[in-house]
Amino acid sequence: MYDKITPPTTGAKITFKKGEPIVPDNPIIPFIRGDGTGIDIWPATQKVLDAAVAKAYKGQRQISWFKVYAGDEACDLYGTYQYLPQDTLTAIQEYGLAIKGPLTTPVGGGIRSLNVALRQIFDLYACVRPCRYYAGTPSPHKNPEKLDVIVYRENTEDIYLGIEWRQGSEIGDRLIKLLNEELIPATPEHGKKQIPLDAGIGIKPISKGGSQRLVRRAMKHALLLPKHKQQVTLVHKGNIMKYTEGAFRDWGYELVTSEFRQECVTERESWILSNKEKNPNISSEDNARQVDPGYDALTPEKKAQIVKEVETVLNSIWSSHGNGQWKDKVMVNDRIADSIFQQIQTRPDEYSILATMNLNGDYLSDAAAAIVGGLGMGPGANIGDACAIFEATHGTAPKHAGLDRINPGSVILSGVMMLEYMGWQEAADLIKQGLGEAIASSQVTYDLARLLEPPVEPLKCSEFAEAIIQHFE
Ligand SMILES: NC(=O)C1=CN([C@@H]2O[C@H](COP(=O)(O)OP(=O)(O)OC[C@H]3O[C@@H](n4cnc5c(N)ncnc54)[C@H](OP(=O)(O)O)[C@@H]3O)[C@@H](O)[C@H]2O)C=CC1
Ligand SMILES: O=C(O)CCC(=O)C(=O)O
Ligand SMILES: [Mg+2]
């Protein structure tokens, strides 16, 4: 079955039922060490995970690690250009769950991203990236503890579909000609727009199915959070790109108000309901005026639309959501992408789950990680219905590779996410507690040490892992 690797002789497979993992006490879990700083981060992570599982379950549970290869390490074993060998894909397929270090992707030419390839091959459509603050972590923000968000990033479409044509290529030129001469003129709303003849072309597909399965997962996650964090924000740039970014928002609202009608309220619905709660005799028009403060300046058509929205909401959900019942439901709102970057800094505590398309989520997850301590503190998971791969938000950080100095926190916390996904909460909690206490006592790697005031002597990557383990109780 395998060409150059051999699975561990002990251990059992994780299986999936209705999208949820069924985990034996001794699961076999494939891991990819990763390029660049993967060489430092992975051994530190493995040590912490094993120590936590041993301490939490006293030998009754343990992980059988299965080393599989991708990136430069794979080329060493399998030969030139064998960046993602079939052995690795077979192992992940067979065992259903994996954890990985970062893998290099060249800019411009060269191979396409291996990280993206893995997400697409296994249809890992939700990239889940929590950003929460550990006390004592230095941050450029005054109140970083106020940020506690989970970026739910669509992981298979948008720029990840990767459909592009190089400037000057034969097909690219044909496509531009077809667009300029036939398709754009045939679409009146595009007016006299023309694509420059020297353009490269990229296609940004956003599908209804892809958007809705992501939002569905985000909603299910929101329902498991404490009441005050039960919120999903749909992030988009729908004011500019109406049929991709705008559609993502509309499909998101459609999904939540059909599949989760009893469990959710939209922000606008909550305004309409609370206007009536404060003033039971309010007219539909006055209610509309309060929902949309610019109401009186609108055209008659727009006014009629808002009045109709008010009446529809009151007729359809007043009995199930009115009289304050909506306050116990998941709040679903939406924000335009540029504004959410500002909002997570100025009003961080107003947000919880941020559901995004691919590119917006890529930017947003790095930006949110910066607030809580930087890319050394940004874990993540790529989750599908029959497979999951855990990995940090950051990349290979090549200038730090092999120096035993990089912060392994993000991959360790990705391991925590993996343990939680497996239902091994006791081991996950030990690591969170150990890491929290190490940071609180200023036992940190260079990235955090340089920001502390006064600065402290940094721990090595491997020493930070040891410090976490020493703080297990
Ligand atoms: N999932 C994956 O495998 C990903 C892979 N990549 C790939 O990684 C390569 C390098 O990308 P690049 O743009 O340099 O981004 P990186 O995320 O690799 O690193 C950028 C900078 O972020 C800081 N940083 C990153 N990781 C850590 C960490 N663990 N601890 C502390 N600081 C950290 C460092 O800043 P400083 O030096 O200032 O301390 C580092 O120089 C590219 O080939 C890219 O495609 C990128 C993202 C994800
Ligand atoms: O695959 C890559 O090189 C980049 C991926 C990335 O930036 C991410 O997952 O956030
Ligand atoms: Mg990224």
Side-chain angles (χ1 to χ4, degrees), residues 173-394:
D173 285 350
R174 268 169 53 199
L175 184 60
I176 292 175
K177 196 165 163 356
L178 179 69
L179 286 161
N180 283 346
E181 292 176 10
E182 289 184 42
L183 304 183
I184 295 176
T187 316
E189 70 184 89
H190 292 321
K192 292 192 185 311
K193 281 180 194 163
Q194 289 282 279
I195 295 172
L197 297 178
D198 61 349
I201 295 280
I203 292 192
K204 173 190 173 70
I206 306 289
S207 74
K208 181 171 181 177
S211 302
Q212 291 197 332
R213 67 180 179 168
L214 185 271
V215 175
R216 182 180 297 115
R217 216 170 236 287
M219 272 300 288
K220 286 186 180 165
H221 194 142
L223 284 162
L224 300 175
L225 295 177
K227 273 277 171 249
H228 72 287
K229 295 299 287 183
Q230 292 196 349
Q231 181 181 305
V232 175
T233 301
L234 305 167
V235 177
H236 59 88
K237 188 73 184 171
N239 48 339
I240 303 298
M241 300 202 80
K242 297 175 193 304
Y243 306 135
T244 49
E245 305 254 347
F248 175 82
R249 180 197 72 161
D250 295 345
W251 291 327
Y253 278 131
E254 181 190 292
L255 182 281
V256 299
T257 55
S258 51
E259 286 187 20
F260 297 91
R261 184 62 281 184
Q262 289 313 309
E263 289 94 7
C264 82
V265 64
T266 71
E267 188 171 48
R268 282 176 76 85
E269 288 169 351
S270 76
W271 295 337
I272 293 167
L273 294 166
S274 80
N275 288 340
K276 187 173 161 71
E277 284 159 16
K278 282 184 215 129
N279 178 2
N281 298 321
I282 192 168
S283 69
S284 297
E285 194 170 36
D286 279 344
N287 198 326
R289 195 168 275 117
Q290 289 183 28
V291 170
D292 241 302
Y295 180 85
D296 287 320
L298 296 175
T299 61
E301 293 76 25
K302 285 187 183 157
K303 283 182 180 163
Q305 227 175 0
I306 302 171
V307 169
K308 187 166 173 224
E309 179 191 351
V310 167
E311 288 171 350
T312 307
V313 168
L314 293 177
N315 288 337
S316 60
I317 60 168
W318 173 256
S319 61
S320 55
H321 290 58
N323 288 321
Q325 296 174 84
W326 58 270
K327 291 179 187 159
D328 285 331
K329 311 211 183 258
V330 177
M331 171 67 75
V332 182
N333 57 18
D334 72 279
R335 296 288 180 267
I336 293 180
D338 40 3
S339 107
I340 197 72
F341 277 86
Q342 195 246 172
Q343 297 262 305
I344 60 166
Q345 306 202 46
T346 54
R347 306 158 77 128
D349 45 357
E350 290 183 18
Y351 295 95
S352 177
I353 290 185
L354 303 170
T356 77
M357 283 161 291
N358 189 274
L359 181 59
N360 293 333
D362 192 13
Y363 298 154
L364 197 55
S365 51
D366 272 38
I371 296 175
V372 295
L375 282 174
M377 299 298 290
N382 304 291
I383 299 190
D385 290 332
C387 184
I389 301 181
F390 295 78
E391 65 176 324
T393 292
H394 64 69

